[in-house]
Amino acid sequence: MEQKQGRRLVLFPLPLQGHINPMLELANILHSRGFYITVIHTNFNSPNPSNYPNFTFHSFPDGLSQTEASTNDIPSLLLHLNTKCVQPFKECLATLISVASEEPYTCLISDGLFHFTQAVADSFKLPRVVLRTAGASSFAVFTAFPLLLEKDYFPIQDSRLEEAVIELPFLKVKDLPTMSTRNPEKFFELLTTMISATKASSGIIWNTFEDLEQPALDLLKKQLCVPLFSIGPFHKYNSAISSGSLLTEDKSSISWLDTQPPKSVVYVSFGSIAATSEAEFLEIAWGLANSEQPFLWVVRPWSVSGAEWLELLPKGFIENLGGRGHIVKWAPQKEVLAHVSVGAFWTHNGWNSTLESICEGVPMICMPCFSDQKVNAVYVSRVWKVGFQLENGKLERGEIEQNIRKLMKAKEGEEIRCRASKLKEKSLSCLKQGGSSYQSLDSLVSHILSLESFSFPAKS
Ligand code: UDX
């Protein structure tokens, strides 16, 4: 622990797994740099405070109905959160800062998608720093949406899917980061509001590193005109930090991996939101089984439509694998990816999964589902070349089997593995003294300390 800065930061994560993890990792990083941490969170998907004894937690009722909270329509959920949280968040913040504290509140750090917090912070004259939990390259694509709308790329037409997007390097029309929603116009509105609130902030923290996303970071620096701090990968600062998992991690994942040969296992997980149809689930199962490669597969409860968990698997499927496959509801993913037996990650390319895989040098088979995942998959396969894409339309057992073999056995796989291990080195060296993220964190700390805030009542 470094010397105390005598300042307190208020952090407000978006209540989704892929956003809670990086916010709590950031909290740990800033705490280790001497800041006191208060976390405000919604009752919905609340993190477990007992995993973080050094932080103070305050929750508020978010007012989401059961239907709103359990929807798969993420843009609609974000819309509700940005509307329903305004008043209770404001009240929670007001209560906190009205009480005299040993340490003055210096700033609010809130998720980029919680755009309403900019106006709330302004109303309290409290500076707001944004945490973007996804990558910079995908954000750069979002900032180009007004131009793409003007050029008639949206709504996306099936006949244009393979066309290159000339305004954006590397992307084809099918890679544009859209999301299926009942309110497509609201999705665009959400992005526009998110971007303008981000521009009005006092700075942006990114869970990325310069060597990985330099071009996008340079572009955004010019476009957004606020200080950027790329201090990632967050989870590599301290390997002993607590897990922010909302589901229980099944530790049998690790004991099973211990029994497998080095670099042999295909780890399969599609994050915390993506869902599959019954037909897709069966193709995945048979593709994995037919690949003859050991696999560890995360199937979240209720993530396969029409099934609670594995009941759609054919009778005897697991027994017939003879121990070659292990299926869990939720895995300790970072530990899994760092395990010597893991040789590949079949992923949906959520930003956290992508970064976690890069940091362990694990090559990826990419199957993006929506939003930034599509851009991340393009960068993994066409820019960094540490994986390749399994096209969504081709979720078919023969295709899966062939792709797994290509990565695990063919020359192409060897080259990908080699590039992945070089990128891993870069992801670690940026955190060392003098490295880009190390320096960026120093700048972030100085920046926070320099912020002109109301400096809410310190005890006299
Ligand atoms: C969401 C969006 O889908 C993604 O596009 C965006 O970049 C972040 O928010 P999610 O789908 O959950 O995230 O994916 P991801 O970003 O990969 O985050 C999942 C997190 O859960 C990772 O930190 C991963 O380590 C963890 N995880 C996942 C587990 O701990 N165990 C598991 O079994 C699966």
Side-chain angles (χ1 to χ4, degrees), residues 12 14 64 75-87 111-118 128 190 193-194:
F12 183 36
L14 190 82
L64 290 181
S76 294
L77 174 65
L78 296 174
L79 204 73
H80 290 310
L81 283 168
N82 271 289
T83 316
K84 297 200 165 184
C85 291
V86 179
Q87 202 47 36
D111 193 289
L113 284 168
F114 262 144
H115 55 72
F116 81 88
T117 57
Q118 186 61 48
R128 172 190 181 225
L190 175 77
T193 321
M194 187 257 295

Side-chain angles (χ1 to χ4, degrees), residues 188-432:
F188 291 112
E189 200 182 299
L190 175 77
L191 291 177
T192 315
T193 321
M194 187 257 295
I195 290 166
S196 54
T198 302
K199 280 181 176 166
S201 73
S202 299
I204 312 169
I205 304 170
W206 302 86
N207 187 10
T208 188
F209 55 99
E210 275 184 15
D211 267 346
L212 191 66
E213 296 197 282
Q214 179 91 57
L217 288 164
D218 287 346
L219 178 76
L220 292 169
K221 212 173 282 176
K222 285 191 207 127
Q223 283 182 345
L224 302 173
C225 303
V226 280
L228 308 188
F229 304 94
S230 48
I231 65 166
F234 293 177
H235 70 286
K236 281 295 176 183
Y237 278 79
N238 180 357
S239 53
I241 57 176
S242 326
S243 152
S245 273
L246 297 167
L247 298 172
T248 307
E249 295 173 346
D250 187 335
K251 300 287 183 191
S252 73
S253 310
I254 303 299
S255 46
W256 180 81
L257 283 172
D258 288 342
T259 66
Q260 302 300 314
K263 299 220 180 298
S264 65
V265 174
V266 181
Y267 170 56
V268 187
S269 168
F270 307 124
S272 64
I273 300 171
T276 47
S277 68
E278 174 179 351
E280 288 167 336
F281 173 71
L282 290 175
E283 291 307 306
I284 295 170
W286 283 116
L288 288 170
N290 296 345
S291 76
E292 290 176 2
Q293 208 63 39
F295 65 87
L296 171 63
W297 183 13
V298 177
V299 181
R300 288 184 343 268
W302 302 109
S303 66
V304 183
S305 68
E308 185 182 340
W309 195 38
L310 301 180
E311 56 274 27
L312 295 174
L313 284 178
K315 247 199 166 69
F317 179 87
I318 293 177
E319 293 72 18
N320 289 339
L321 291 169
R324 193 169 49 75
H326 190 61
I327 307 181
V328 295
K329 293 179 175 167
W330 191 250
Q333 180 164 304
K334 294 182 194 85
E335 253 182 277
V336 165
L337 287 167
H339 198 285
V340 65
S341 299
V342 171
F345 183 12
W346 180 5
T347 170
H348 70 313
N349 288 113
W351 183 247
N352 298 287
S353 294
T354 303
L355 202 56
E356 289 160 15
S357 203
I358 286 173
C359 291
E360 301 307 334
V362 176
M364 288 169 255
I365 297 175
C366 307
M367 193 181 77
C369 304
F370 54 75
S371 189
D372 65 312
Q373 300 164 12
K374 294 181 172 195
V375 181
N376 303 338
V378 168
Y379 275 74
V380 167
S381 57
R382 293 182 216 148
V383 183
W384 308 319
K385 299 189 175 145
V386 292
F388 50 73
Q389 289 219 41
L390 181 81
E391 301 298 340
N392 231 351
K394 291 187 191 154
L395 194 53
E396 183 272 319
R397 62 190 75 181
E399 191 75 26
I400 294 166
E401 180 187 337
Q402 204 187 323
N403 275 283
I404 291 176
R405 284 176 200 245
K406 184 164 85 174
L407 189 55
M408 302 301 280
K409 306 265 190 229
K411 175 126 189 357
E412 193 178 339
E414 230 169 81
E415 290 164 0
I416 287 176
R417 229 181 312 283
C418 183
R419 279 191 293 271
S421 96
K422 287 188 182 145
L423 194 54
K424 168 184 174 171
E425 290 315 312
K426 290 184 179 174
S427 76
L428 302 180
S429 62
C430 67
L431 296 177
K432 295 188 181 141

Side-chain angles (χ1 to χ4, degrees), residues 2 5 29-30 33 35 229-231 237 430-450:
E2 294 200 359
Q5 309 284 7
I29 295 167
L30 292 172
R33 297 297 297 254
F35 290 100
F229 304 94
S230 48
I231 65 166
Y237 278 79
C430 67
L431 296 177
K432 295 188 181 141
Q433 192 161 8
S436 63
S437 295
Y438 182 97
Q439 292 184 13
S440 207
L441 177 59
D442 276 349
S443 312
L444 173 64
V445 171
S446 310
H447 181 67
I448 291 176
L449 291 174
S450 76

